[in-house]
């Protein structure tokens, strides 16, 4: 129950007609019209992004000329029906929800009803009867409610729902300081994502880092002949080895694909190199991998995309390798003999996208958006992961790792990129940082001579198999790096030993550097071959709002997605969201869960999107990204360097 009531003053101006009153004496004036004042006040504050928990909002009055009248229902006198009178057309509104689009238009247009999208202004044959008979809201009413947003000046996102991030930026400008969770209650995509994401992140937190993850890119082999295994020969090349004849055969035919389904049955370490006994068939115990199409043809050739997606394959885990090791596994195979999907995948290795944006925190004129995960190149990284850090010198040896605490997008120069009304004038410069506790194998780089205690929980016990770790930053401090420093997940040494057998366990530190040279080469290749980057001039990253857009997929798991995705009945989805927002009892979570499942199974069940077009630039000492909300381009150079702060202090 609300702890206190806050009065919300309305704007001046109204088109209300005080002469519009009930025709019969059976109606009684509802004065004050408490239900309408509270409902309208709450809806208005929520839409503006100003609502706070524990507060009941109430308008100070209705617009001039509007009044609420009530009458007991004939069939049930205990039930009282209410109607709002005052519209110039002398038609009534049967509920606060029905009146809200008209109210909002009045508030944003000085009391004028010209071009008002409400049902009473626009649909005479569906308007309310002057006798006060109640009618159920129509889908047309829901459509009018949504159409209001644009004309009322409320920022919209790609779904046609309130753009929560622009709303928060506007609120930050007004209040100068803001710290709030991010919630897109009027987006069914967001609601379905929240329902699903919680389980995904719990699953990842309890899983080894070598487990494959959805929408990652991998190398895979469709088939192995009987008695064939993938082995490395004396020249460090991987070939097909016959366990009976003890002879190496041809190279495997590697393809590159996107993980469409992860194994639904428990994996064990041995699955990495051999097929272990499973209770279910490969369509459940294995991975669904879809060959990756040419991203440069996606916008012009739907046939190419469909051709590759229809060639999906269910394969056991030992048929798959992380794509970041492409250089190691393709060694010895002439480039002209590579499968086409290899080059396709290399073309998108300079892509980046964040997901699960959970908190907005800022002090004007800058702000940070906290995220739970990110896709960089071929891999999916989440908070809590241990990642390898790219070397900062010419030497490609990897000796530094980080346990991620947070992933942040920092919006800069908001005062120069918005006008007095909060409208975007140009893209906001955006810096992406990853923060966490950093460790190194090099004692010369250590900030203390103390080793990381193998019995502590700073690092999982298995990671000490790489050697003795030192604190790269002083203990109890957090190191912050640009996202481009992230090479990829640090796989457990036992997994790496199976993928890349070494003569003795003493050589495991060298395993950390595998994939580093290939990742650097792939990113550079992508910067010249990915048209989405090349067309931007000197840009070096394709920074997209979702993984689907980063890979420019049109079909995934037999569904049309991205640009090809059918958007469905957005107005009906908005109405579902409004109904969910009004559910206060125990049925609320049940209804939300049911709708989330429906949304997740449709082509529209995608992750929420931050913006239409995002790009990044390399400044020499870090990465600066541009949040482009209006598909215009601006080139901003900002220094962005590794920094350290006390744990919990954060970076401003």
């Amino acid at each position: 129950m609300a702890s206190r009531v806050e009065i919300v003053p309305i704007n001046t101006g109204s088109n209300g007609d005080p002469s519009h009153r009930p025709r019969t004496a059976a109606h009684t004036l509802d004065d004050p019209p408490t239900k309408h004042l509270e409902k309208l006040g709450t809806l208005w504050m929520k839409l503006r992004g100003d609502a706070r928990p524990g507060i009941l909002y109430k308008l100070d009055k209705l617009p001039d000329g509007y009044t609420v009248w009530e009458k007991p229902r004939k069939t049930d006198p205990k039930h009282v029906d209410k109607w709002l009178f005052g519209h110039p057309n002398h038609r009534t509104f049967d509920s606060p929800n029905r009146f809200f689009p008209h109210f909002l238009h009045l508030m944003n247009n000085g009391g004028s009803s010209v071009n008002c999208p409400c049902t009473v202004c626009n649909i005479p044959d569906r308007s309310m009867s002057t006798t006060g008979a109640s009618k159920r809201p129509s889908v047309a009413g829901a459509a009018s409610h949504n159409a209001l947003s644009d004309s009322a000046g409320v920022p919209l996102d790609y779904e046609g729902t309130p753009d929560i991030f622009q709303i928060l930026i506007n609120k930050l400008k007004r209040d100068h300081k803001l710290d709030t969770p991010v919630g897109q209650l009027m987006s069914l995509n967001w609601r379905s994502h929240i329902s699903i994401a919680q389980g995904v992140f719990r699953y990842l937190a309890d899983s080894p880092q070598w487990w494959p993850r959805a929408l990652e890119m991998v190398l895979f082999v469709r088939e192995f002949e009987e008695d064939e295994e993938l082995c490395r020969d004396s020249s460090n090349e991987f070939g097909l080895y016959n366990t009976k004849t003890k002879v190496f055969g041809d190279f495997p035919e590697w393809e590159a694909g996107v993980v469409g389904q992860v194994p639904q049955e428990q994996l064990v370490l041995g699955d990495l190199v051999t097929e272990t006994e499973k209770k279910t068939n490969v369509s459940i115990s294995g991975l669904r991998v879809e060959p990756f199409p040419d991203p440069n043809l996606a916008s012009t050739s739907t046939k190419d995309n469909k051709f590759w997606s229809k060639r999906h394959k269910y394969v056991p885990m030992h048929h798959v390798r992380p794509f970041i090791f492409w250089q190691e596994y393709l060694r010895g195979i002439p480039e002209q003999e590579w499968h086409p999907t290899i080059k396709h995948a290399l073309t998108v290795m300079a892509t980046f996208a964040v997901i699960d944006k959970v908190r907005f925190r800022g002090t004007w004129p800058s702000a940070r958006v906290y995220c739970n995960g990110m896709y960089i190149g071929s891999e999916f990284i989440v908070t809590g992961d241990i990642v390898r850090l790219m070397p900062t010198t010419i030497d490609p040896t990897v000796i530094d790792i980080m346990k991620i605490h947070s992933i942040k997008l920092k919006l800069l120069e908001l005062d120069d990129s918005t006008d007095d009304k909060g409208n975007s004038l140009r893209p906001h410069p955006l810096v992406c940082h990853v923060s966490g506790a950093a460790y190194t194998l090099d004692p010369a780089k250590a900030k203390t001579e103390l080793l990381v205690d193998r019995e502590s929980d700073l690092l999982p016990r298995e990671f000490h198999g790489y050697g003795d770790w030192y604190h790269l930053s002083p203990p109890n401090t957090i190191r912050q790096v640009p996202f481009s420093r992230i090479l990829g997940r640090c796989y457990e040494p036992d997994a790496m030993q199976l993928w890349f057998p070494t003569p003795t366990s003493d050589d495991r530190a060298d395993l950390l550097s595998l994939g580093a040279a290939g990742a650097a080469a792939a990113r550079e290749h992508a910067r010249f071959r990915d048209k989405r980057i090349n067309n931007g001039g000197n840009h070096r990253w394709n920074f997209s709002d979702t993984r689907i857009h980063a890979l420019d997929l049109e079909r995934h798991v037999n569904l049309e997605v991205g640009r090809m995705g059918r958007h469905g009945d957005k107005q009906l989805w908005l109405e579902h969201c409004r109904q969910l927002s009004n559910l206060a009892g125990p049925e609320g979570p049940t209804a939300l869960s049911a709708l989330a499942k429906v949304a997740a199974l449709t082509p529209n069940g995608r992750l929420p999107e931050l913006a239409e077009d995002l790009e990044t630039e390399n400044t020499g000492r870090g990465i600066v990204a541009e949040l482009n909300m209006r598909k215009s381009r601006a080139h901003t150079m900002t220094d962005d360097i590794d920094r350290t702060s006390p744990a919990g202090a954060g970076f401003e």
Side-chain angles (χ1 to χ4, degrees):
M1 187 174 181
S3 58
R4 65 187 179 89
V5 177
E6 185 170 306
I7 302 300
V8 181
I10 66 172
N11 300 334
T12 57
S14 175
N15 73 333
D17 180 359
S19 68
H20 182 214
R21 292 290 185 269
R23 296 177 179 177
T24 67
H27 294 78
T28 304
L29 179 65
D30 182 18
D31 187 20
T34 303
K35 174 184 175 182
H36 282 69
L37 295 177
E38 291 178 350
K39 184 66 175 179
L40 293 170
T42 299
L43 289 172
W44 197 22
M45 292 296 284
K46 285 183 176 179
L47 190 61
R48 288 160 48 179
D50 293 334
R52 300 191 301 271
I55 297 179
L56 176 64
Y57 295 96
K58 181 179 178 181
L59 298 182
D60 60 343
K61 64 174 185 175
L62 291 174
D64 292 342
Y66 287 92
T67 53
V68 176
W69 297 76
E70 60 184 19
K71 184 179 73 170
R73 187 172 296 178
K74 290 183 179 180
T75 57
D76 182 10
K78 293 182 180 180
H79 185 94
V80 177
D81 292 316
K82 298 176 185 285
W83 298 270
L84 193 146
F85 289 73
H87 194 277
N89 291 346
H90 284 204
R91 295 182 173 88
T92 62
F93 298 90
D94 66 348
S95 71
N97 285 341
R98 185 62 67 95
F99 179 61
F100 184 63
H102 187 76
F103 167 81
L104 255 179
H105 191 82
L106 297 180
M107 293 300 98
N108 288 282
N109 293 276
S112 170
S113 61
V114 176
N115 295 324
C116 176
C118 83
T119 54
V120 173
C121 284
N122 288 282
I123 313 178
D125 58 329
R126 294 285 185 93
S127 60
M128 301 299 102
S129 167
T130 55
T131 62
S134 176
K135 295 183 180 180
R136 294 180 60 84
S138 65
V139 175
S144 297
H145 189 163
N146 182 51
L148 140 82
S149 298
D150 191 31
S151 63
V154 178
L156 300 177
D157 64 11
Y158 79 107
E159 289 182 325
T161 58
D163 186 338
I164 183 64
F165 292 99
Q166 190 60 53
I167 290 172
L168 291 174
I169 290 172
N170 295 346
K171 182 173 174 59
L172 175 64
K173 182 175 184 178
R174 184 174 66 250
D175 297 345
H176 297 285
K177 198 165 187 176
L178 184 62
D179 185 356
T180 182
V182 173
Q184 296 167 278
L185 297 178
M186 296 306 293
S187 168
L188 196 57
N189 279 338
W190 179 84
R191 286 181 177 272
S192 64
H193 163 75
I194 288 299
S195 177
I196 297 169
Q198 293 174 352
V200 170
F201 285 107
R202 282 196 300 268
Y203 157 80
L204 294 179
D206 297 332
S207 305
Q209 299 213 146
W210 55 262
W211 281 22
R213 299 176 178 181
L215 287 174
E216 288 192 322
M217 289 193 299
V218 295
L219 292 169
F220 73 102
V221 177
R222 289 182 174 268
E223 301 287 349
F224 284 125
E225 297 294 334
E226 188 176 356
D227 301 321
E228 272 188 343
E229 290 183 357
L230 182 65
C231 294
R232 183 160 59 172
D233 61 21
S234 57
S235 60
N236 265 347
E237 296 175 352
F238 284 87
L240 297 174
Y241 181 74
N242 190 296
T243 57
K244 283 189 174 180
T245 63
K246 310 298 183 184
V247 174
F248 274 95
D250 295 331
F251 289 111
E253 185 176 3
W254 291 106
E255 298 180 44
V258 178
V259 176
Q261 175 185 301
V262 297
Q264 305 300 300
E265 189 172 331
Q266 186 75 16
L267 295 174
V268 296
L269 196 62
D271 286 318
L272 294 178
V273 292
T274 188
E275 189 163 7
T276 63
E277 184 177 352
K278 299 295 180 186
K279 297 179 181 179
T280 55
N281 62 38
V282 70
S283 65
I284 298 176
S285 63
L287 296 86
R288 176 188 169 116
V289 185
E290 300 182 1
F292 188 58
D294 187 345
N296 288 330
L297 293 180
S299 60
T300 59
S301 176
T302 302
K303 290 183 178 180
D304 180 76
N305 200 300
K306 288 183 177 180
F307 170 78
W308 292 114
S309 66
K310 289 181 178 180
R311 287 178 52 79
H312 71 270
K313 178 73 173 177
Y314 288 94
V315 295
M317 182 67 196
H318 71 284
H319 285 222
V320 172
R321 296 292 186 271
F323 188 80
I324 198 170
F325 301 128
W326 69 274
Q327 206 171 68
E328 285 78 9
Y329 283 105
L330 294 178
R331 181 177 287 118
I333 305 177
E335 185 175 335
Q336 62 270 22
E337 295 181 13
W338 291 358
H339 194 273
T341 55
I342 302 295
K343 290 287 187 68
H344 298 169
L346 289 173
T347 303
V348 294
M349 282 295 281
T351 59
F352 180 78
V354 293
I355 71 163
D356 203 35
K357 308 167 190 76
V358 294
R359 193 161 199 88
F360 183 96
R361 178 180 296 164
T363 301
W364 187 258
S366 64
R368 285 164 290 168
V369 179
Y370 288 77
C371 312
N372 278 335
M374 65 181 185
Y375 283 94
I376 180 167
S378 60
E379 296 193 10
F380 180 29
I381 309 291
V382 300
T383 53
D385 276 346
I386 297 172
V387 296
R388 297 181 290 163
L389 298 181
M390 275 283 203
T392 55
T393 63
I394 299 177
D395 185 354
T397 304
V398 175
I399 54 176
D400 302 334
I401 63 174
M402 173 182 283
K403 186 174 183 180
I404 297 179
H405 290 186
S406 65
I407 300 168
K408 296 170 292 199
L409 302 178
K410 188 172 182 179
L411 284 72
L412 306 171
E413 302 176 14
L414 296 176
D415 51 344
D416 293 332
S417 51
T418 56
D419 61 19
D420 292 337
K421 296 182 180 180
N423 298 317
S424 179
L425 299 177
R426 64 174 178 81
H428 311 300
L430 178 73
V431 176
C432 183
H433 282 141
V434 179
S435 302
Y439 307 97
T440 182
L441 291 173
D442 184 0
K445 297 177 63 176
K447 298 301 181 181
T448 175
E449 295 181 357
L450 295 176
L451 291 170
V452 176
D453 188 354
R454 291 174 178 254
E455 301 301 321
S456 71
D457 59 356
L458 296 178
L459 286 173
R461 183 184 298 270
E462 55 266 29
F463 283 89
H464 290 283
Y466 284 117
D468 293 327
W469 293 103
Y470 297 85
H471 294 274
L472 188 56
S473 302
N476 300 318
T477 62
I478 298 299
R479 191 173 186 84
Q480 176 174 275
V481 300
F483 77 89
S484 57
R485 282 285 318 276
I486 306 302
L487 170 60
R489 289 202 301 283
C490 183
Y491 298 109
E492 291 81 357
D494 286 344
M496 292 294 289
Q497 183 72 35
L498 289 174
W499 282 331
F500 303 97
T502 55
T504 67
S505 59
D506 296 335
D507 301 326
R508 286 188 169 187
D510 295 336
L511 296 174
L512 280 175
S513 300
L514 294 174
R523 291 178 184 182
E524 199 62 27
H525 172 88
R527 286 159 187 156
F528 287 96
R529 297 300 298 272
D530 190 337
K531 292 181 179 179
R532 297 168 299 175
I533 301 175
N534 206 24
N535 288 343
N538 63 349
H539 293 85
R540 294 176 61 81
W541 287 86
N542 171 36
F543 196 177
S544 298
D545 45 351
T546 70
R547 180 62 164 176
I548 292 293
H549 288 172
L551 301 183
D552 213 353
L553 295 178
E554 295 178 356
R555 294 186 65 85
H556 183 62
V557 197
N558 290 333
L559 295 176
E560 290 183 340
V561 296
R563 292 174 291 100
M564 299 299 294
R566 299 184 296 273
H567 295 288
D569 191 341
K570 292 182 181 179
Q571 314 307 334
L572 184 59
W573 282 28
L574 288 171
E575 185 60 30
H576 286 327
C577 289
R578 295 187 189 99
Q579 293 170 3
L580 288 169
S581 297
N582 291 330
L583 290 175
E587 70 276 15
T590 302
L592 175 57
S593 177
L595 275 177
K597 291 178 180 178
V598 172
L601 293 174
T602 68
N604 297 311
R606 305 187 303 275
L607 301 179
E609 298 177 319
L610 175 62
E612 284 292 324
D613 182 29
L614 296 164
E615 294 185 349
T616 63
E617 292 183 308
N618 191 319
T619 66
R621 289 190 295 168
I623 298 299
V624 172
E626 295 173 336
L627 174 57
N628 190 337
M629 294 226 179
R630 297 291 180 266
K631 286 197 172 181
S632 61
R633 297 189 183 277
H635 306 297
T636 305
M637 305 299 287
T638 303
D639 287 342
D640 177 21
I641 59 177
D642 294 5
R643 291 190 289 163
T644 304
S645 76
F651 293 87
E652 292 298 329

